[in-house]
Amino acid sequence: MSDAHESDVRGRDVPADVDRAATDAHDYDVPTDEPVYRCDRCGRPFAREDWLRLHRGIDHPDALDDEEVETYRDAFADEQAEIRRFRLKALGALILIYFGLLMVYAVL
Ligand SMILES: [Zn+2]
């Protein structure tokens, strides 16, 4: 493994220039009425359980057991699907804006 990159559990390169120590040292303000999923390794709180799973896979890849790797992959796949849906909606919105402006331009 090179010094410049580290690999996540999926074997892809992750840029090593992210200052993890700086983010780990941060104080997190969590509203008391929110459900909190807390990382048992660094204490960082998350509002959603799948975000905690993603965090474990990204920040503590070496500390995962097989089950946690599996839940990380599931959470990662869910996140990918969510990003795809968002991109489709964004594309749809852009097309609507484009043709909307085209109509306005044609009328004026
Ligand atoms: Zn953590």
Side-chain angles (χ1 to χ4, degrees), residues 9-92:
V9 291
R10 293 167 63 88
R12 297 165 312 151
D13 279 346
V14 175
D17 57 354
V18 178
D19 191 352
R20 299 195 193 288
T23 55
D24 287 349
H26 212 269
D27 277 334
Y28 300 101
D29 289 327
V30 180
T32 48
D33 55 340
E34 290 290 320
V36 172
Y37 301 93
R38 194 169 289 276
C39 177
D40 52 2
R41 292 177 181 102
C42 67
R44 188 170 170 185
F46 294 89
R48 282 170 49 181
E49 193 179 6
D50 51 342
W51 292 346
L52 170 59
R53 289 176 186 161
L54 284 172
H55 158 76
R56 278 186 186 142
I58 292 165
D59 282 356
H60 313 292
D62 299 331
L64 297 185
D65 60 31
D66 289 346
E67 191 188 335
E68 285 171 326
V69 169
E70 203 53 49
T71 57
Y72 166 68
R73 286 181 178 164
D74 288 348
F76 187 87
D78 288 349
E79 193 77 0
Q80 294 289 303
E82 209 166 299
I83 290 168
R84 266 198 299 277
R85 279 195 296 274
F86 173 77
R87 282 183 183 153
L88 275 177
K89 284 183 195 165
L91 183 64

